[in-house]
């Protein structure tokens, strides 16, 4: 009986920790949305590393956050109230706007490409 109580206590602590992480991520998603005139998102499973929350603002700005699990990422997205997409394609992907920094950085990865000075 004592093992069951201990297990329940550990599970309760894990659930509370996950809830706090989801709330913190939801707050960050909300701040991103506010800064970019609204936002939409998509969840990308990263394996044991966690789940990436890809965000695209209404102004074309983009960013991401990483949650420790898919469940935490889903909870954070739900709490934030943003529109979520199943995949990163079509009209959703077309909203992303890249600038000189991103293009320079991508080109700098290639052999002989310009150095990233950003």
């Amino acid at each position: 009986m004592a093992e069951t109580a201990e297990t329940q206590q550990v599970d309760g602590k894990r659930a509370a920790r996950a809830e706090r992480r989801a709330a913190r991520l939801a707050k960050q998603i909300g701040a991103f949305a506010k800064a970019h005139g609204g936002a939409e998102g998509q969840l990308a499973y990263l394996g044991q590393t966690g789940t990436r929350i890809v965000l695209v603002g209404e102004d074309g700005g983009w960013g991401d956050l990483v949650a420790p699990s898919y469940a935490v990422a889903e909870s954070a997205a739900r709490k934030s109230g943003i529109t979520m997409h199943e995949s990163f394609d079509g009209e959703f992907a077309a909203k992303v706007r890249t600038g000189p920094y991103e293009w320079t950085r991508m080109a700098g990865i290639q052999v002989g490409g310009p150095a990233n000075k950003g």
Side-chain angles (χ1 to χ4, degrees):
M1 195 83 166
E3 274 187 51
T4 304
E6 287 177 26
T7 301
Q8 289 175 345
Q9 185 178 14
V10 169
D11 288 345
K13 286 181 181 181
R14 262 191 215 128
R17 186 178 312 122
E19 190 62 31
R20 285 191 304 271
R21 287 179 177 170
R24 191 169 40 249
L25 286 165
K27 187 175 180 179
Q28 291 173 307
I29 293 168
F32 178 89
K34 184 177 180 182
H36 294 277
E40 298 176 45
Q42 188 259 337
L43 302 182
Y45 180 66
L46 299 173
Q48 289 183 342
T49 305
T51 298
R52 175 172 281 129
I53 305 168
V54 180
L55 302 169
V56 179
E58 289 301 313
D59 63 358
W62 57 279
D64 66 349
L65 298 166
V66 176
S69 70
Y70 197 87
V72 170
E74 275 185 318
S75 178
R78 189 174 47 256
K79 288 175 186 300
S80 73
I82 66 170
T83 299
M84 295 301 292
H85 296 270
E86 289 294 319
S87 61
F88 194 80
D89 59 7
E91 289 181 31
F92 178 51
K95 288 184 176 187
V96 174
R97 298 290 171 248
T98 55
Y101 170 78
E102 289 85 4
W103 285 103
T104 300
R105 184 164 170 86
M106 286 185 277
I109 294 171
Q110 303 301 317
V111 175
N116 182 21
K117 297 179 183 175

Short mmCIF file of all heavy atoms in Angstrom, two decimals, residues 47-73:
data_model
loop_
_atom_site.label_atom_id
_atom_site.label_comp_id
_atom_site.label_asym_id
_atom_site.label_seq_id
_atom_site.Cartn_x
_atom_site.Cartn_y
_atom_site.Cartn_z
N GLY A 47 11.77 13.33 -30.95
CA GLY A 47 12.23 12.10 -30.31
C GLY A 47 12.42 12.32 -28.82
O GLY A 47 11.68 13.06 -28.20
N GLN A 48 13.43 11.70 -28.25
CA GLN A 48 13.66 11.81 -26.81
C GLN A 48 13.96 13.24 -26.37
O GLN A 48 13.76 13.60 -25.22
CB GLN A 48 14.80 10.89 -26.38
CG GLN A 48 14.43 9.44 -26.43
CD GLN A 48 15.56 8.56 -25.94
OE1 GLN A 48 16.72 8.97 -25.87
NE2 GLN A 48 15.22 7.33 -25.59
N THR A 49 14.44 14.06 -27.30
CA THR A 49 14.77 15.45 -26.98
C THR A 49 13.53 16.23 -26.59
O THR A 49 13.61 17.14 -25.77
CB THR A 49 15.43 16.13 -28.20
OG1 THR A 49 16.55 15.34 -28.58
CG2 THR A 49 15.85 17.53 -27.90
N GLY A 50 12.39 15.91 -27.17
CA GLY A 50 11.16 16.63 -26.87
C GLY A 50 10.38 16.94 -28.12
O GLY A 50 10.43 16.20 -29.10
N THR A 51 9.69 18.07 -28.09
CA THR A 51 8.87 18.49 -29.21
C THR A 51 9.09 19.98 -29.48
O THR A 51 9.04 20.79 -28.55
CB THR A 51 7.38 18.23 -28.92
OG1 THR A 51 7.20 16.82 -28.74
CG2 THR A 51 6.49 18.71 -30.04
N ARG A 52 9.33 20.30 -30.73
CA ARG A 52 9.52 21.69 -31.14
C ARG A 52 8.16 22.31 -31.42
O ARG A 52 7.34 21.72 -32.11
CB ARG A 52 10.40 21.77 -32.38
CG ARG A 52 10.55 23.19 -32.92
CD ARG A 52 11.56 23.29 -34.03
NE ARG A 52 12.87 23.30 -33.40
CZ ARG A 52 13.88 22.50 -33.73
NH1 ARG A 52 13.75 21.63 -34.69
NH2 ARG A 52 15.03 22.58 -33.11
N ILE A 53 7.96 23.50 -30.90
CA ILE A 53 6.76 24.29 -31.19
C ILE A 53 7.21 25.37 -32.16
O ILE A 53 7.92 26.31 -31.78
CB ILE A 53 6.18 24.94 -29.92
CG1 ILE A 53 5.90 23.88 -28.85
CG2 ILE A 53 4.91 25.73 -30.27
CD1 ILE A 53 5.60 24.45 -27.47
N VAL A 54 6.87 25.20 -33.44
CA VAL A 54 7.25 26.16 -34.48
C VAL A 54 6.18 27.24 -34.51
O VAL A 54 4.99 26.94 -34.61
CB VAL A 54 7.37 25.47 -35.85
CG1 VAL A 54 7.77 26.48 -36.92
CG2 VAL A 54 8.36 24.32 -35.79
N LEU A 55 6.60 28.50 -34.44
CA LEU A 55 5.67 29.63 -34.42
C LEU A 55 5.91 30.52 -35.63
O LEU A 55 7.05 30.80 -35.98
CB LEU A 55 5.88 30.45 -33.15
CG LEU A 55 5.70 29.70 -31.83
CD1 LEU A 55 6.18 30.55 -30.67
CD2 LEU A 55 4.24 29.31 -31.66
N VAL A 56 4.82 30.97 -36.25
CA VAL A 56 4.89 31.92 -37.35
C VAL A 56 3.93 33.05 -37.02
O VAL A 56 2.73 32.83 -36.81
CB VAL A 56 4.50 31.27 -38.70
CG1 VAL A 56 4.57 32.30 -39.81
CG2 VAL A 56 5.41 30.10 -39.01
N GLY A 57 4.49 34.28 -36.96
CA GLY A 57 3.67 35.44 -36.65
C GLY A 57 2.92 35.94 -37.88
O GLY A 57 3.28 35.63 -39.01
N GLU A 58 1.90 36.74 -37.65
CA GLU A 58 1.12 37.32 -38.74
C GLU A 58 1.98 38.23 -39.61
O GLU A 58 1.69 38.44 -40.77
CB GLU A 58 -0.09 38.08 -38.20
CG GLU A 58 -1.17 37.18 -37.65
CD GLU A 58 -1.70 36.20 -38.68
OE1 GLU A 58 -2.00 36.62 -39.83
OE2 GLU A 58 -1.82 35.00 -38.36
N ASP A 59 3.07 38.77 -39.05
CA ASP A 59 3.97 39.64 -39.80
C ASP A 59 5.05 38.86 -40.55
O ASP A 59 5.94 39.43 -41.16
CB ASP A 59 4.61 40.67 -38.88
CG ASP A 59 5.51 40.05 -37.80
OD1 ASP A 59 5.60 38.80 -37.73
OD2 ASP A 59 6.10 40.81 -37.03
N GLY A 60 5.01 37.53 -40.47
CA GLY A 60 6.00 36.69 -41.15
C GLY A 60 7.18 36.32 -40.28
O GLY A 60 8.00 35.48 -40.67
N GLY A 61 7.30 36.93 -39.11
CA GLY A 61 8.37 36.57 -38.18
C GLY A 61 8.16 35.15 -37.69
O GLY A 61 7.04 34.66 -37.62
N TRP A 62 9.24 34.48 -37.38
CA TRP A 62 9.11 33.09 -36.94
C TRP A 62 10.10 32.77 -35.85
O TRP A 62 11.07 33.49 -35.63
CB TRP A 62 9.28 32.13 -38.12
CG TRP A 62 10.59 32.28 -38.85
CD1 TRP A 62 10.89 33.22 -39.79
CD2 TRP A 62 11.77 31.51 -38.66
NE1 TRP A 62 12.19 33.06 -40.21
CE2 TRP A 62 12.75 32.03 -39.55
CE3 TRP A 62 12.09 30.44 -37.85
CZ2 TRP A 62 14.03 31.49 -39.61
CZ3 TRP A 62 13.36 29.91 -37.93
CH2 TRP A 62 14.31 30.44 -38.81
N GLY A 63 9.81 31.70 -35.14
CA GLY A 63 10.68 31.25 -34.07
C GLY A 63 10.21 29.89 -33.60
O GLY A 63 9.26 29.33 -34.14
N ASP A 64 10.88 29.37 -32.60
CA ASP A 64 10.46 28.09 -32.06
C ASP A 64 10.83 27.97 -30.60
O ASP A 64 11.65 28.71 -30.08
CB ASP A 64 11.03 26.93 -32.87
CG ASP A 64 12.55 26.81 -32.77
OD1 ASP A 64 13.20 27.74 -32.25
OD2 ASP A 64 13.09 25.80 -33.22
N LEU A 65 10.17 27.05 -29.95
CA LEU A 65 10.42 26.70 -28.56
C LEU A 65 10.50 25.18 -28.51
O LEU A 65 9.91 24.50 -29.36
CB LEU A 65 9.27 27.17 -27.67
CG LEU A 65 9.01 28.67 -27.63
CD1 LEU A 65 7.64 28.95 -27.00
CD2 LEU A 65 10.10 29.36 -26.83
N VAL A 66 11.17 24.64 -27.52
CA VAL A 66 11.24 23.19 -27.38
C VAL A 66 10.65 22.80 -26.03
O VAL A 66 11.04 23.33 -24.99
CB VAL A 66 12.68 22.65 -27.50
CG1 VAL A 66 12.71 21.15 -27.26
CG2 VAL A 66 13.24 22.97 -28.88
N ALA A 67 9.66 21.91 -26.08
CA ALA A 67 9.03 21.37 -24.88
C ALA A 67 9.65 20.01 -24.59
O ALA A 67 10.09 19.32 -25.51
CB ALA A 67 7.52 21.23 -25.12
N PRO A 68 9.65 19.59 -23.33
CA PRO A 68 10.26 18.31 -22.98
C PRO A 68 9.49 17.08 -23.48
O PRO A 68 10.05 15.99 -23.54
CB PRO A 68 10.31 18.33 -21.46
CG PRO A 68 9.24 19.29 -21.06
CD PRO A 68 9.17 20.30 -22.15
N SER A 69 8.22 17.27 -23.85
CA SER A 69 7.43 16.15 -24.35
C SER A 69 6.33 16.68 -25.28
O SER A 69 5.99 17.86 -25.26
CB SER A 69 6.78 15.37 -23.21
OG SER A 69 5.76 16.14 -22.61
N TYR A 70 5.76 15.77 -26.05
CA TYR A 70 4.68 16.14 -26.96
C TYR A 70 3.46 16.60 -26.16
O TYR A 70 2.80 17.57 -26.51
CB TYR A 70 4.32 14.96 -27.87
CG TYR A 70 3.51 15.37 -29.07
CD1 TYR A 70 4.13 15.79 -30.23
CD2 TYR A 70 2.13 15.35 -29.05
CE1 TYR A 70 3.41 16.18 -31.35
CE2 TYR A 70 1.38 15.74 -30.15
CZ TYR A 70 2.03 16.16 -31.30
OH TYR A 70 1.30 16.56 -32.38
N ALA A 71 3.18 15.92 -25.04
CA ALA A 71 2.03 16.27 -24.21
C ALA A 71 2.16 17.69 -23.65
O ALA A 71 1.19 18.45 -23.64
CB ALA A 71 1.87 15.26 -23.08
N VAL A 72 3.36 18.05 -23.20
CA VAL A 72 3.58 19.41 -22.68
C VAL A 72 3.42 20.44 -23.80
O VAL A 72 2.81 21.49 -23.61
CB VAL A 72 4.97 19.52 -22.00
CG1 VAL A 72 5.31 20.97 -21.68
CG2 VAL A 72 5.02 18.67 -20.74
N ALA A 73 3.95 20.13 -24.98
CA ALA A 73 3.83 21.04 -26.12
C ALA A 73 2.36 21.24 -26.51
O ALA A 73 1.92 22.38 -26.75
CB ALA A 73 4.62 20.51 -27.32
#
